[in-house]
Amino acid sequence: MKQFVVIGMGRFGSNLAKSLYRLGNQVLAIDYQKRNIEYIKDQVTEAIVADAKDLKLLTQVIDKDVDSVIIATGNDIEMSVLTTLHLRNIGVKHLVAKAKSEDHGEILKALGVDEVIFPEKDIAKRLAEKLDMTNMIFNIPIAHDYSIIEVITPANFVGKSLIELDLRNKYGINIIGIRPLISDELKVVPNGQTIIPPDSAMILICKTDEISKLRLQ
């Protein structure tokens, strides 16, 4: 079980807090508006009405050893910046922040935010990639700009070995699993001699900005 703090119970923050809690984590939700806390309080571990610009108050309610603090107040740049400064002073070990614009994101990075997110931009990008790639089954972004992707095996891959395809050297793509389309039986971490079967799907890891290379059929 991990411990998270989510600051800002707008649409993004509240949905993130609820999702983290449903996954079995401890979640502290913070917002300066009482109505937002009343809405979320039964769907997280704890919910507190507090002004995130108040360093003394944040010090009292946030344990610096939590796994991550997420600042979801991206539309209020002043609050976002001040909250970031306060959390860095507290000594929080991992900090994620929502940004309103590229310039806002650069400021947050300069202040020491570990990960800056642009929810609307990221969602739009993933949807565009999914619509563009008819053979994609799912796309899960992971750390350091990489994604785990499942795609229907291109027809020209069938009957070839992984060594023969040489996807790692050609495209920077690593195959971590192969499964038949009609079942959930999964061959995990196949070796180089593995032959790609027909009517199958491949689970891959690759850089998110290189997903377009998977449109190989």
Side-chain angles (χ1 to χ4, degrees):
M1 179 188 298
K2 292 185 176 181
Q3 295 179 314
F4 297 97
V5 178
V6 182
I7 300 174
M9 290 297 106
R11 184 181 302 174
F12 171 73
S14 61
N15 280 308
L16 176 62
K18 289 186 291 184
S19 296
L20 288 170
Y21 181 69
R22 284 196 295 264
L23 289 169
N25 300 292
Q26 291 186 351
V27 179
L28 169 61
I30 297 176
D31 196 281
Y32 71 94
Q33 294 192 42
K34 185 176 180 179
R35 67 173 182 272
N36 290 341
I37 293 302
E38 286 295 321
Y39 166 75
I40 198 74
K41 66 180 183 180
D42 295 327
Q43 303 176 75
V44 294
T45 309
E46 186 178 4
I48 298 174
V49 178
D51 185 350
K53 293 185 289 185
D54 187 333
L55 173 58
K56 183 177 180 180
L57 185 57
L58 286 183
T59 303
Q60 292 172 348
V61 300
I62 295 179
D63 183 344
K64 67 181 181 64
D65 293 322
V66 296
D67 291 282
S68 186
V69 178
I70 302 93
I71 304 172
T73 58
N75 291 331
D76 187 334
I77 295 177
E78 179 186 1
M79 178 174 284
S80 172
V81 169
L82 286 176
T83 302
T84 299
L85 287 172
H86 292 338
L87 292 169
R88 278 300 172 218
N89 286 330
I90 290 171
V92 171
K93 61 185 179 182
H94 186 260
L95 187 56
V96 178
K98 174 185 174 183
K100 183 178 182 179
S101 65
E102 295 290 344
D103 288 341
H104 183 197
E106 289 301 317
I107 293 171
L108 292 173
K109 289 178 182 177
L111 293 174
V113 168
D114 298 289
E115 184 175 356
V116 176
I117 53 175
F118 302 86
E120 293 83 1
K121 177 181 176 181
D122 294 341
I123 290 171
K125 182 179 179 182
R126 289 200 296 271
L127 177 58
E129 290 163 349
K130 184 175 181 180
L131 293 173
D132 187 53
M133 290 184 59
T134 56
N135 62 333
M136 182 183 292
I137 298 173
F138 69 69
N139 173 10
I140 303 175
I142 56 176
H144 307 301
D145 300 323
Y146 279 80
S147 291
I148 296 177
I149 301 165
E150 183 176 22
V151 296
I152 297 172
T153 301
N156 59 328
F157 283 17
V158 174
K160 296 180 180 178
S161 69
L162 296 186
I163 288 179
E164 186 179 0
L165 292 172
D166 198 21
L167 297 180
R168 179 181 298 175
N169 291 324
K170 289 180 179 177
Y171 305 106
I173 295 170
N174 293 283
I175 298 181
I176 60 174
I178 300 172
R179 71 170 182 86
L181 286 174
I182 59 174
S183 78
D184 293 326
E185 180 183 350
L186 178 65
K187 184 178 182 63
V188 180
V189 193
N191 61 44
Q193 304 302 322
T194 300
I195 302 298
I196 304 294
D199 301 319
S200 63
M202 303 186 303
I203 301 171
L204 320 163
I205 291 182
C206 68
K207 282 192 172 182
T208 304
D209 59 5
E210 295 182 349
I211 289 176
S212 60
K213 293 180 180 179
L214 295 174
R215 193 170 53 188
L216 304 173
Q217 61 184 10

Coordinates of all heavy atoms in Angstrom, one line a residue, residues 147-151 167 173-177 202-206 214:
S147 N 6.1 3.7 -22.9 CA 4.8 3.1 -22.8 C 4.8 1.6 -23.0 O 5.7 1.0 -23.7 CB 3.9 3.7 -23.9 OG 3.6 5.0 -23.7
I148 N 3.9 0.9 -22.4 CA 3.6 -0.5 -22.6 C 2.4 -0.6 -23.6 O 1.4 0.0 -23.3 CB 3.3 -1.3 -21.3 CG1 4.5 -1.2 -20.4 CG2 2.9 -2.7 -21.6 CD1 4.3 -1.9 -19.0
I149 N 2.6 -1.3 -24.7 CA 1.6 -1.3 -25.7 C 1.3 -2.7 -26.2 O 2.2 -3.5 -26.3 CB 2.1 -0.5 -27.0 CG1 2.4 1.0 -26.5 CG2 1.1 -0.5 -28.1 CD1 3.2 1.7 -27.5
E150 N 0.1 -3.0 -26.4 CA -0.3 -4.3 -27.0 C -0.9 -4.0 -28.4 O -1.8 -3.2 -28.6 CB -1.3 -5.0 -26.2 CG -1.7 -6.4 -26.8 CD -2.6 -7.2 -25.9 OE1 -3.3 -6.6 -25.1 OE2 -2.6 -8.4 -26.1
V151 N -0.3 -4.7 -29.4 CA -0.8 -4.5 -30.8 C -1.0 -5.9 -31.4 O -0.4 -6.9 -31.0 CB 0.3 -3.8 -31.6 CG1 0.5 -2.4 -31.1 CG2 1.6 -4.5 -31.6
L167 N 13.7 -6.1 -33.8 CA 12.9 -4.9 -33.5 C 13.7 -4.0 -32.6 O 13.5 -2.7 -32.7 CB 11.6 -5.2 -32.9 CG 10.6 -6.1 -33.8 CD1 9.3 -6.3 -33.1 CD2 10.4 -5.3 -35.1
I173 N 12.3 -1.1 -30.0 CA 11.1 -1.8 -29.4 C 11.5 -3.1 -28.8 O 12.2 -3.9 -29.4 CB 10.1 -2.0 -30.5 CG1 9.6 -0.7 -31.1 CG2 8.9 -2.9 -30.0 CD1 8.7 -0.8 -32.3
N174 N 11.1 -3.3 -27.6 CA 11.3 -4.6 -26.8 C 10.0 -5.4 -26.7 O 9.0 -4.8 -26.1 CB 11.9 -4.3 -25.5 CG 13.3 -3.7 -25.6 OD1 14.3 -4.4 -25.8 ND2 13.4 -2.4 -25.4
I175 N 10.0 -6.6 -27.1 CA 8.8 -7.5 -27.0 C 8.9 -8.2 -25.6 O 9.9 -8.9 -25.3 CB 8.7 -8.5 -28.1 CG1 8.6 -7.8 -29.5 CG2 7.6 -9.5 -27.9 CD1 8.5 -8.8 -30.6
I176 N 7.9 -8.0 -24.8 CA 7.9 -8.6 -23.4 C 6.9 -9.7 -23.3 O 6.8 -10.4 -22.3 CB 7.7 -7.5 -22.3 CG1 6.4 -6.8 -22.5 CG2 8.9 -6.5 -22.3 CD1 6.0 -5.9 -21.4
G177 N 6.0 -9.8 -24.3 CA 5.0 -10.9 -24.3 C 4.3 -11.1 -25.6 O 4.3 -10.2 -26.4
M202 N 1.2 -8.8 -29.7 CA 2.5 -8.6 -29.0 C 2.3 -7.5 -28.0 O 1.7 -6.5 -28.2 CB 3.5 -8.2 -30.1 CG 3.7 -9.2 -31.2 SD 5.0 -8.7 -32.3 CE 4.6 -7.1 -32.8
I203 N 3.0 -7.7 -26.8 CA 3.1 -6.7 -25.8 C 4.5 -6.1 -25.8 O 5.5 -6.9 -25.7 CB 2.7 -7.3 -24.4 CG1 1.3 -7.9 -24.5 CG2 2.8 -6.2 -23.3 CD1 0.9 -8.6 -23.2
L204 N 4.6 -4.8 -26.0 CA 5.9 -4.2 -26.2 C 6.1 -3.1 -25.2 O 5.2 -2.5 -24.7 CB 5.9 -3.6 -27.6 CG 5.2 -4.4 -28.8 CD1 4.9 -3.5 -29.9 CD2 6.1 -5.6 -29.1
I205 N 7.4 -2.7 -25.1 CA 7.8 -1.5 -24.4 C 8.6 -0.7 -25.4 O 9.5 -1.2 -26.1 CB 8.7 -1.8 -23.2 CG1 7.9 -2.5 -22.1 CG2 9.3 -0.5 -22.6 CD1 8.7 -2.7 -20.8
C206 N 8.2 0.6 -25.5 CA 9.0 1.5 -26.4 C 8.8 2.9 -25.9 O 8.0 3.2 -25.1 CB 8.5 1.4 -27.9 SG 6.8 2.0 -28.1
L214 N 5.3 1.7 -34.8 CA 4.6 0.4 -34.7 C 3.6 0.2 -35.8 O 3.0 -0.9 -35.9 CB 3.9 0.3 -33.3 CG 4.8 0.3 -32.1 CD1 4.0 0.3 -30.8 CD2 5.7 -0.9 -32.1

